[in-house]
Amino acid sequence: MFEVQQAAAGEWAVVAGGGRALLVAETDAARLRDLLAAVRAGFAETLDALVAHGLSRTPSFALIDVSAETALLAVRGTGLASVSERGSERVVAATGVSSWVELQLPGVESATLGPAATGATLPLTEGVVRGSTLRWTPAVTAEDVGATVAAPPKRERDTGPVEAVPAVVPEPEEIVAGPAVEPFADAPLPEPGTEPEPEPAAEPDPHTRVPEATIADVPETPPAAPAAAPAVAAEPAGYDHLFGATMVRSVEEAAVRPAEADEEAAPSRIDLPGFITDSFPSGADRLVGDHDGLTVMSGDLPERPAFEPDASDAGPAPAPQTFAVLLSDGRREPLSAPVVVGRAPSVTAVPSLRGARPVTLTSAEDDISRSHVAVAVEGDSVVVTDLHSRNGTMIVLPGKSPQKLRSGEPTTVVLGTVIDLGSGATLTVEAAG
């Protein structure tokens, strides 16, 4: 937990959350709300939010992150920090630095952002308050958290006697007796090997109606054919007048057999309309075989000449894009091979860049790193990588706000991008002439 010395009014405010605290010279309430969300997100996200409107409009600040084992500290402008490490005190300031000073504190014991506290301090876990001094110590964190978070009250177990609940026994359902069944008469059983006597036929029901006419049985021998009577045209019955009379045939006569081909019989002539017969070619012009004279075969078509593209239509192949960087001292370095730029660059700092060459660039304050940044061409793009520099690297894309590169992460840029190493040392990406 952090301790804050509050101020009634002033330009400094404290933003805390997620194990990070920021002392910033900011008075805009909306801007402070945005910084609170960034502080909750992380250390790098807070730096990105601070420089979102450009490095020139970035306020003075002091930022500390104690959420991990190794604490991180960043100081800019008039911001000030006092750090205690292994029993020794040191003051971190950003005097003469155009961006900010960023440090890793693996053995930090306590830290104070801003001037030393002269009055009483109040604890702060998360939020935004007006304040001029912020102090952090690991011992205070453990004590305050234990005192602030109260354990919920324990609930007493009820161990009194338990009253027995009488068991509910369902009442038996009433059984309703069905109709009485008469016992079988004592009838003698048939002896083995004898057939039972057939039961007498039941008398017909007087209410059953028996038709007068029934279907007679078919006689075993067909009756003699009656004498031929004169044919009398009978009226068709049912639907025979629509389909004709029904014909009765034997299986042999109704069998379907293929018609015998008559080789000498000529095919029957079919009368076709004139517009079809006039379009047929004459017999002399017809081809031999089953060709009808109308279908065009693929073999009858004339050969088409092979298509040959005109060489004059194809333009020259576009030349690959080449790039260069314009240094702040007026030099122009082509990117035909990767370059490592810094105060005293060494290509061994980036073993993955084969064929890289060092480019020395100095500044007025001489505060850029020895091997500060690497610039290389990959395909049709330029890739910039910050080589874990001390003060970081800013890039300004055309028409965009400045943004800080993440250490060790390659970033693709476009033509016209300005790479700012700090203290006026810049590189501008251009097309190689």
Side-chain angles (χ1 to χ4, degrees):
M1 184 178 294
F2 304 99
E3 292 185 350
V4 184
Q5 179 179 351
Q6 291 185 321
E11 63 173 351
W12 292 90
V14 176
V15 183
R20 288 166 288 275
L22 171 66
L23 179 66
V24 59
E26 183 62 62
T27 58
D28 186 6
R31 177 76 171 142
L32 291 173
R33 291 190 183 94
D34 296 339
L35 290 175
L36 176 59
V39 169
R40 291 170 176 170
F43 186 81
E45 288 78 359
T46 306
L47 294 177
D48 293 342
L50 288 168
V51 299
H53 300 289
L55 189 60
S56 61
R57 299 179 60 184
T58 302
S60 299
F61 65 85
L63 172 64
I64 186 169
D65 185 350
V66 293
S67 60
E69 295 182 0
T70 301
L72 302 177
L73 178 67
V75 179
R76 169 179 167 79
T78 59
L80 189 67
S82 177
V83 181
S84 175
E85 292 181 289
R86 301 179 179 88
S88 62
E89 296 283 341
R90 66 164 172 165
V91 177
V92 181
T95 306
V97 179
S98 60
S99 55
W100 60 79
V101 175
E102 186 173 336
L103 300 175
Q104 294 185 358
L105 308 174
V108 62
E109 298 173 357
S110 63
T112 301
L113 306 185
T118 58
T121 58
L122 297 175
L124 177 63
T125 302
E126 182 172 331
V128 181
V129 297
R130 294 292 178 188
S132 58
T133 301
L134 172 71
R135 185 175 62 185
W136 170 84
T137 55
V140 173
T141 301
E143 294 173 2
D144 290 346
V145 170
T148 303
V149 181
K154 292 185 179 181
R155 190 176 177 184
E156 297 292 339
R157 293 186 60 184
D158 189 3
T159 57
V162 179
E163 296 181 0
V165 179
V168 178
V169 180
E171 297 180 359
E173 297 181 359
E174 183 179 357
I175 301 176
V176 180
V181 180
E182 298 180 357
F184 290 98
D186 296 335
L189 297 177
E191 296 181 1
T194 60
E195 296 181 0
E197 296 181 0
E199 298 180 359
E203 296 182 0
D205 189 356
H207 300 284
T208 303
R209 182 180 177 183
V210 181
E212 299 178 358
T214 56
I215 301 175
D217 296 336
V218 180
E220 297 181 0
T221 57
V232 180
E235 292 293 334
Y239 297 96
D240 291 346
H241 64 285
L242 298 178
F243 305 101
T246 303
M247 299 178 65
V248 181
R249 295 182 181 179
S250 63
V251 177
E252 185 66 23
E253 294 176 353
V256 180
R257 296 182 178 86
E260 297 180 357
D262 189 359
E263 298 179 357
E264 297 179 358
S268 59
R269 180 181 178 86
I270 301 176
D271 294 332
L272 299 176
F275 69 89
I276 295 180
T277 57
D278 295 342
S279 62
F280 273 82
S282 60
D285 297 336
R286 295 180 182 176
L287 300 177
V288 180
D290 58 353
H291 197 282
D292 56 5
L294 296 179
T295 305
V296 179
M297 308 297 290
S298 60
D300 299 337
L301 297 176
E303 296 182 0
R304 297 177 62 183
F307 175 74
E308 296 181 359
D310 190 359
S312 61
D313 296 341
Q321 179 71 44
T322 56
F323 301 91
V325 289
L326 179 62
L327 278 65
S328 55
D329 57 5
R331 288 180 295 162
R332 186 183 178 89
E333 294 290 340
L335 295 179
S336 55
V339 296
V340 179
V341 184
R343 175 167 44 88
S346 174
V347 296
T348 58
V350 193
S352 60
L353 294 179
R354 298 182 179 179
R357 53 191 177 86
V359 175
T360 303
L361 181 62
T362 58
S363 62
E365 288 79 4
D366 199 21
D367 59 349
I368 65 175
S369 300
R370 294 172 56 88
S371 298
H372 198 107
V373 70
V375 186
V377 176
E378 294 183 3
D380 294 335
S381 304
V382 177
V383 178
V384 182
T385 307
D386 180 80
L387 303 178
H388 303 282
S389 61
R390 181 179 61 182
N391 297 332
T393 304
M394 304 291 296
I395 60 173
V396 184
L397 279 73
K400 302 292 184 179
S401 301
Q403 56 181 341
K404 184 180 179 181
L405 296 180
R406 295 182 182 275
S407 298
E409 295 186 6
T411 303
T412 303
V413 298
V414 298
L415 291 175
T417 301
V418 178
I419 306 171
D420 187 1
L421 309 185
S423 300
T426 62
L427 295 86
T428 305
V429 180
E430 298 182 346

